[in-house]
Amino acid sequence: MQDEYHWVGSAALSSIGGAPFINDRYIQQLCGLTYEPLVFLYYKLFGNTGVLLFVRHLYFLLAAGGACLFYRFYRNKTDPIIALSIAALPLVGTFWGSPSLGYNAIGGICFGCGSLLALQGLDQGKTKWIVASAVLFAWALAAYPTLLLALVTLWALILAIRLYMKKPVFKALLLANAITAGLVGAFLVMHVLRAGWENVAFSYAF
């Protein structure tokens, strides 16, 4: 299904003696590397049977978490039926017809949930929601690097609107982006240490 064999294969690569960016150079592998430890643990417990299905179950957990989050915030702003309809979108729809934890799924769900948490955190002054949004944005960028432009645009719009409304924004903006940058940087540094700068750079260029 689409590029599913890329991200599932990359997530399982270290479990069978391979090395990311050395034995597999495709940029599509990045999303699989974000949940590689879970696949590694699955291999240790159950072997290589059902790995693809396991990753699809991970997709369901992420989609269900996104649905719960959307329902949590929309149930007080509209009636229950509309809130449930909005919340059901991550569950009833799949990205490019693939019910699997690929870059489209991680990028779309994490970016959407991160945006919601960021906006709600700013409106209600909840630092923990700002921190949670930063973690989700980091996961989205690690899996789908080209979402960086979308994230910059989102924060620029938030900054402009908050300044126009004369509401505080700079502290939350710096906190969120510092966390996001730190997590994405740690993700990349870890893989540079594992595979070498040349192999990681070649994969991105490829």
Side-chain angles (χ1 to χ4, degrees), residues 110 113-115 117-118 128-138 155 176 180:
C110 289
C113 292
S115 301
L117 283 168
K128 63 181 180 180
W129 291 350
I130 297 295
V131 171
S133 75
V135 173
L136 288 172
F137 285 144
W155 278 118
T180 299

Side-chain angles (χ1 to χ4, degrees), residues 3 7 27-28 31 96 100-108 140 143-144 147:
D3 296 321
W7 57 70
I27 191 68
Q28 291 96 327
C31 59
W96 301 105
S100 187
L101 205 56
Y103 50 90
N104 287 307
I106 295 175
Y144 207 152
L147 282 174

